[in-house]
Short mmCIF file of all heavy atoms in Angstrom, two decimals:
data_model
loop_
_atom_site.label_atom_id
_atom_site.label_comp_id
_atom_site.label_asym_id
_atom_site.label_seq_id
_atom_site.Cartn_x
_atom_site.Cartn_y
_atom_site.Cartn_z
N ALA A 1 -1.11 -12.69 0.56
CA ALA A 1 -1.49 -14.05 0.95
C ALA A 1 -2.93 -14.10 1.47
O ALA A 1 -3.47 -15.19 1.65
CB ALA A 1 -0.53 -14.57 2.01
N LEU A 2 -3.55 -12.96 1.70
CA LEU A 2 -4.90 -12.90 2.27
C LEU A 2 -5.95 -12.90 1.15
O LEU A 2 -5.77 -12.23 0.13
CB LEU A 2 -5.04 -11.65 3.14
CG LEU A 2 -4.08 -11.63 4.33
CD1 LEU A 2 -4.05 -10.25 4.97
CD2 LEU A 2 -4.46 -12.69 5.35
N PRO A 3 -7.06 -13.62 1.35
CA PRO A 3 -8.09 -13.74 0.30
C PRO A 3 -8.68 -12.39 -0.11
O PRO A 3 -8.96 -11.55 0.73
CB PRO A 3 -9.17 -14.61 0.94
CG PRO A 3 -8.60 -15.18 2.18
CD PRO A 3 -7.42 -14.34 2.56
N GLY A 4 -8.86 -12.22 -1.41
CA GLY A 4 -9.54 -11.05 -1.94
C GLY A 4 -8.73 -9.77 -1.94
O GLY A 4 -9.27 -8.69 -2.19
N THR A 5 -7.43 -9.86 -1.69
CA THR A 5 -6.59 -8.67 -1.64
C THR A 5 -6.21 -8.22 -3.04
O THR A 5 -5.85 -9.03 -3.89
CB THR A 5 -5.30 -8.95 -0.84
OG1 THR A 5 -5.66 -9.24 0.51
CG2 THR A 5 -4.36 -7.77 -0.86
N ASP A 6 -6.31 -6.92 -3.27
CA ASP A 6 -5.74 -6.33 -4.48
C ASP A 6 -4.95 -5.11 -4.08
O ASP A 6 -5.06 -4.62 -2.95
CB ASP A 6 -6.80 -6.01 -5.53
CG ASP A 6 -7.81 -4.96 -5.08
OD1 ASP A 6 -7.72 -4.48 -3.94
OD2 ASP A 6 -8.69 -4.63 -5.87
N HIS A 7 -4.11 -4.64 -4.99
CA HIS A 7 -3.31 -3.46 -4.64
C HIS A 7 -2.98 -2.67 -5.89
O HIS A 7 -3.09 -3.14 -7.01
CB HIS A 7 -2.04 -3.85 -3.87
CG HIS A 7 -0.98 -4.49 -4.70
ND1 HIS A 7 0.16 -3.83 -5.08
CD2 HIS A 7 -0.89 -5.72 -5.22
CE1 HIS A 7 0.91 -4.64 -5.80
NE2 HIS A 7 0.29 -5.80 -5.89
N GLY A 8 -2.61 -1.41 -5.64
CA GLY A 8 -2.26 -0.51 -6.72
C GLY A 8 -1.75 0.80 -6.14
O GLY A 8 -1.48 0.89 -4.94
N TYR A 9 -1.65 1.79 -7.01
CA TYR A 9 -1.08 3.09 -6.62
C TYR A 9 -2.09 4.20 -6.92
O TYR A 9 -1.85 5.05 -7.78
CB TYR A 9 0.23 3.32 -7.40
CG TYR A 9 1.29 2.31 -7.06
CD1 TYR A 9 1.32 1.06 -7.66
CD2 TYR A 9 2.27 2.61 -6.12
CE1 TYR A 9 2.30 0.12 -7.34
CE2 TYR A 9 3.25 1.68 -5.79
CZ TYR A 9 3.25 0.45 -6.41
OH TYR A 9 4.22 -0.47 -6.08
N PRO A 10 -3.22 4.23 -6.20
CA PRO A 10 -4.26 5.21 -6.53
C PRO A 10 -3.91 6.66 -6.14
O PRO A 10 -4.49 7.59 -6.67
CB PRO A 10 -5.47 4.73 -5.73
CG PRO A 10 -4.87 4.00 -4.57
CD PRO A 10 -3.62 3.36 -5.11
N PHE A 11 -2.99 6.86 -5.20
CA PHE A 11 -2.70 8.20 -4.70
C PHE A 11 -1.43 8.78 -5.33
O PHE A 11 -1.42 9.91 -5.78
CB PHE A 11 -2.56 8.20 -3.18
CG PHE A 11 -3.73 7.59 -2.46
CD1 PHE A 11 -3.56 6.54 -1.58
CD2 PHE A 11 -5.02 8.04 -2.69
CE1 PHE A 11 -4.64 5.96 -0.92
CE2 PHE A 11 -6.11 7.47 -2.04
CZ PHE A 11 -5.91 6.42 -1.16
N THR A 12 -0.36 8.00 -5.32
CA THR A 12 0.93 8.43 -5.84
C THR A 12 1.75 7.19 -6.15
O THR A 12 1.50 6.12 -5.58
CB THR A 12 1.67 9.34 -4.86
OG1 THR A 12 3.00 9.58 -5.34
CG2 THR A 12 1.77 8.75 -3.48
N GLN A 13 2.75 7.32 -6.98
CA GLN A 13 3.57 6.16 -7.36
C GLN A 13 4.39 5.61 -6.20
O GLN A 13 4.94 4.53 -6.29
CB GLN A 13 4.48 6.51 -8.51
CG GLN A 13 5.54 7.54 -8.17
CD GLN A 13 6.41 7.89 -9.38
OE1 GLN A 13 6.23 7.34 -10.46
NE2 GLN A 13 7.34 8.79 -9.17
N HIS A 14 4.47 6.33 -5.09
CA HIS A 14 5.28 5.87 -3.95
C HIS A 14 4.46 5.27 -2.82
O HIS A 14 5.01 4.92 -1.78
CB HIS A 14 6.14 7.01 -3.42
CG HIS A 14 7.12 7.51 -4.44
ND1 HIS A 14 8.16 6.74 -4.92
CD2 HIS A 14 7.18 8.68 -5.10
CE1 HIS A 14 8.83 7.44 -5.82
NE2 HIS A 14 8.25 8.60 -5.96
N LEU A 15 3.14 5.17 -2.99
CA LEU A 15 2.29 4.57 -1.97
C LEU A 15 1.53 3.40 -2.58
O LEU A 15 0.62 3.58 -3.37
CB LEU A 15 1.29 5.58 -1.40
CG LEU A 15 1.85 6.75 -0.62
CD1 LEU A 15 0.72 7.68 -0.17
CD2 LEU A 15 2.66 6.27 0.57
N ASP A 16 1.94 2.18 -2.21
CA ASP A 16 1.29 0.96 -2.67
C ASP A 16 0.16 0.66 -1.70
O ASP A 16 0.40 0.41 -0.52
CB ASP A 16 2.32 -0.17 -2.69
CG ASP A 16 1.85 -1.41 -3.45
OD1 ASP A 16 0.74 -1.38 -4.01
OD2 ASP A 16 2.60 -2.39 -3.46
N VAL A 17 -1.08 0.72 -2.18
CA VAL A 17 -2.26 0.61 -1.34
C VAL A 17 -2.90 -0.77 -1.52
O VAL A 17 -3.21 -1.18 -2.64
CB VAL A 17 -3.28 1.72 -1.69
CG1 VAL A 17 -4.54 1.58 -0.85
CG2 VAL A 17 -2.63 3.09 -1.49
N TYR A 18 -3.09 -1.47 -0.41
CA TYR A 18 -3.70 -2.81 -0.41
C TYR A 18 -5.12 -2.69 0.12
O TYR A 18 -5.36 -2.07 1.16
CB TYR A 18 -2.89 -3.77 0.46
CG TYR A 18 -1.52 -4.06 -0.13
CD1 TYR A 18 -0.50 -3.13 -0.05
CD2 TYR A 18 -1.27 -5.26 -0.77
CE1 TYR A 18 0.74 -3.39 -0.61
CE2 TYR A 18 -0.04 -5.54 -1.32
CZ TYR A 18 0.97 -4.60 -1.24
OH TYR A 18 2.20 -4.85 -1.79
N LYS A 19 -6.06 -3.36 -0.60
CA LYS A 19 -7.47 -3.29 -0.24
C LYS A 19 -8.09 -4.68 -0.26
O LYS A 19 -7.62 -5.57 -0.96
CB LYS A 19 -8.23 -2.44 -1.26
CG LYS A 19 -7.80 -1.00 -1.35
CD LYS A 19 -8.60 -0.29 -2.42
CE LYS A 19 -8.20 1.16 -2.56
NZ LYS A 19 -9.01 1.84 -3.58
N VAL A 20 -9.19 -4.80 0.48
CA VAL A 20 -10.06 -5.96 0.40
C VAL A 20 -11.46 -5.41 0.19
O VAL A 20 -11.91 -4.55 0.94
CB VAL A 20 -9.97 -6.88 1.65
CG1 VAL A 20 -10.30 -6.14 2.93
CG2 VAL A 20 -10.83 -8.12 1.48
N ALA A 21 -12.13 -5.86 -0.88
CA ALA A 21 -13.47 -5.38 -1.24
C ALA A 21 -13.53 -3.85 -1.22
O ALA A 21 -14.49 -3.26 -0.73
CB ALA A 21 -14.53 -5.99 -0.33
N GLY A 22 -12.49 -3.21 -1.71
CA GLY A 22 -12.46 -1.75 -1.81
C GLY A 22 -12.08 -1.02 -0.54
O GLY A 22 -11.98 0.20 -0.53
N LYS A 23 -11.85 -1.75 0.54
CA LYS A 23 -11.47 -1.14 1.82
C LYS A 23 -9.96 -1.23 2.04
O LYS A 23 -9.39 -2.33 2.01
CB LYS A 23 -12.18 -1.82 3.00
CG LYS A 23 -13.69 -1.72 2.95
CD LYS A 23 -14.14 -0.32 3.22
CE LYS A 23 -15.65 -0.26 3.26
NZ LYS A 23 -16.13 1.10 3.26
N VAL A 24 -9.34 -0.10 2.27
CA VAL A 24 -7.89 -0.04 2.49
C VAL A 24 -7.56 -0.69 3.84
O VAL A 24 -8.19 -0.39 4.84
CB VAL A 24 -7.38 1.41 2.47
CG1 VAL A 24 -5.90 1.48 2.84
CG2 VAL A 24 -7.64 2.05 1.12
N PHE A 25 -6.53 -1.55 3.84
CA PHE A 25 -6.05 -2.10 5.11
C PHE A 25 -4.54 -1.98 5.26
O PHE A 25 -4.01 -2.22 6.35
CB PHE A 25 -6.52 -3.55 5.32
CG PHE A 25 -5.89 -4.58 4.42
CD1 PHE A 25 -4.74 -5.26 4.81
CD2 PHE A 25 -6.45 -4.87 3.19
CE1 PHE A 25 -4.17 -6.22 3.99
CE2 PHE A 25 -5.89 -5.82 2.36
CZ PHE A 25 -4.74 -6.50 2.76
N LEU A 26 -3.83 -1.60 4.21
CA LEU A 26 -2.38 -1.47 4.28
C LEU A 26 -1.91 -0.45 3.25
O LEU A 26 -2.35 -0.49 2.11
CB LEU A 26 -1.71 -2.82 3.98
CG LEU A 26 -0.20 -2.84 3.77
CD1 LEU A 26 0.55 -2.43 5.04
CD2 LEU A 26 0.26 -4.22 3.29
N ILE A 27 -1.04 0.44 3.69
CA ILE A 27 -0.36 1.35 2.78
C ILE A 27 1.14 1.14 2.97
O ILE A 27 1.64 1.21 4.09
CB ILE A 27 -0.73 2.82 3.05
CG1 ILE A 27 -2.23 3.03 2.83
CG2 ILE A 27 0.08 3.76 2.15
CD1 ILE A 27 -2.72 4.41 3.20
N VAL A 28 1.81 0.85 1.88
CA VAL A 28 3.25 0.61 1.91
C VAL A 28 3.94 1.79 1.22
O VAL A 28 3.66 2.09 0.06
CB VAL A 28 3.61 -0.70 1.19
CG1 VAL A 28 5.13 -0.88 1.13
CG2 VAL A 28 2.96 -1.89 1.88
N THR A 29 4.82 2.44 1.94
CA THR A 29 5.62 3.51 1.36
C THR A 29 6.72 2.83 0.55
O THR A 29 7.59 2.18 1.11
CB THR A 29 6.22 4.41 2.45
OG1 THR A 29 5.15 4.92 3.22
CG2 THR A 29 7.01 5.55 1.86
N ASP A 30 6.63 2.95 -0.75
CA ASP A 30 7.54 2.26 -1.66
C ASP A 30 8.79 3.11 -1.89
O ASP A 30 8.99 3.67 -2.96
CB ASP A 30 6.82 1.96 -2.97
CG ASP A 30 7.57 1.00 -3.85
OD1 ASP A 30 8.50 0.34 -3.35
OD2 ASP A 30 7.23 0.90 -5.04
N ASP A 31 9.59 3.22 -0.85
CA ASP A 31 10.78 4.06 -0.89
C ASP A 31 11.84 3.39 -0.01
O ASP A 31 11.63 3.23 1.19
CB ASP A 31 10.44 5.45 -0.36
CG ASP A 31 11.61 6.40 -0.34
OD1 ASP A 31 12.77 5.96 -0.49
OD2 ASP A 31 11.37 7.61 -0.16
N PRO A 32 12.99 3.00 -0.59
CA PRO A 32 14.00 2.29 0.21
C PRO A 32 14.58 3.14 1.34
O PRO A 32 15.07 2.60 2.33
CB PRO A 32 15.08 1.93 -0.81
CG PRO A 32 14.83 2.76 -2.00
CD PRO A 32 13.38 3.16 -1.97
N ASP A 33 14.50 4.46 1.23
CA ASP A 33 15.02 5.33 2.28
C ASP A 33 14.02 5.60 3.39
O ASP A 33 14.35 6.20 4.40
CB ASP A 33 15.49 6.65 1.68
CG ASP A 33 16.64 6.45 0.71
OD1 ASP A 33 17.48 5.55 0.96
OD2 ASP A 33 16.70 7.18 -0.29
N GLU A 34 12.78 5.22 3.17
CA GLU A 34 11.72 5.47 4.16
C GLU A 34 10.85 4.23 4.25
O GLU A 34 9.79 4.14 3.66
CB GLU A 34 10.89 6.68 3.73
CG GLU A 34 9.89 7.09 4.77
CD GLU A 34 9.09 8.32 4.35
OE1 GLU A 34 8.77 8.48 3.17
OE2 GLU A 34 8.79 9.11 5.25
N GLN A 35 11.34 3.25 5.00
CA GLN A 35 10.61 1.99 5.13
C GLN A 35 9.49 2.15 6.14
O GLN A 35 9.70 1.98 7.35
CB GLN A 35 11.56 0.87 5.57
CG GLN A 35 12.57 0.49 4.54
CD GLN A 35 13.26 -0.79 4.94
OE1 GLN A 35 12.62 -1.77 5.33
NE2 GLN A 35 14.58 -0.80 4.86
N ILE A 36 8.30 2.45 5.65
CA ILE A 36 7.15 2.63 6.53
C ILE A 36 5.96 1.89 5.93
O ILE A 36 5.73 1.94 4.73
CB ILE A 36 6.80 4.12 6.69
CG1 ILE A 36 7.91 4.86 7.42
CG2 ILE A 36 5.48 4.29 7.45
CD1 ILE A 36 7.71 6.35 7.47
N ILE A 37 5.22 1.20 6.80
CA ILE A 37 3.92 0.66 6.42
C ILE A 37 2.90 1.25 7.38
O ILE A 37 3.21 1.57 8.52
CB ILE A 37 3.88 -0.88 6.46
CG1 ILE A 37 4.06 -1.41 7.88
CG2 ILE A 37 4.91 -1.47 5.51
CD1 ILE A 37 3.63 -2.85 8.08
N THR A 38 1.68 1.41 6.90
CA THR A 38 0.60 1.94 7.72
C THR A 38 -0.56 0.96 7.68
O THR A 38 -0.96 0.52 6.60
CB THR A 38 0.18 3.34 7.21
OG1 THR A 38 1.32 4.21 7.24
CG2 THR A 38 -0.92 3.94 8.08
N VAL A 39 -1.06 0.60 8.87
CA VAL A 39 -2.12 -0.40 9.00
C VAL A 39 -3.22 0.09 9.94
O VAL A 39 -2.98 0.92 10.82
CB VAL A 39 -1.57 -1.75 9.55
CG1 VAL A 39 -0.63 -2.40 8.56
CG2 VAL A 39 -0.90 -1.57 10.89
#
């Protein structure tokens, strides 16, 4: 919902990385058994 946000899986298929202008601001562990986000 934030302007200019894009995301993808640059490190591994289980880490969804959110960036703004190339700067990481959120990493989502895409694993139902390990619900963790890093900010």
Side-chain angles (χ1 to χ4, degrees):
L2 299 168
T5 296
D6 63 359
H7 73 105
Y9 297 82
F11 307 124
T12 172
Q13 66 181 359
H14 298 294
L15 294 178
D16 193 3
V17 178
Y18 292 76
K19 298 178 181 181
V20 57
K23 298 290 184 191
V24 174
F25 70 92
L26 169 65
I27 298 174
V28 176
T29 303
D30 193 15
D31 179 346
D33 296 326
E34 187 178 36
Q35 292 192 48
I36 294 173
I37 65 163
T38 302
V39 294

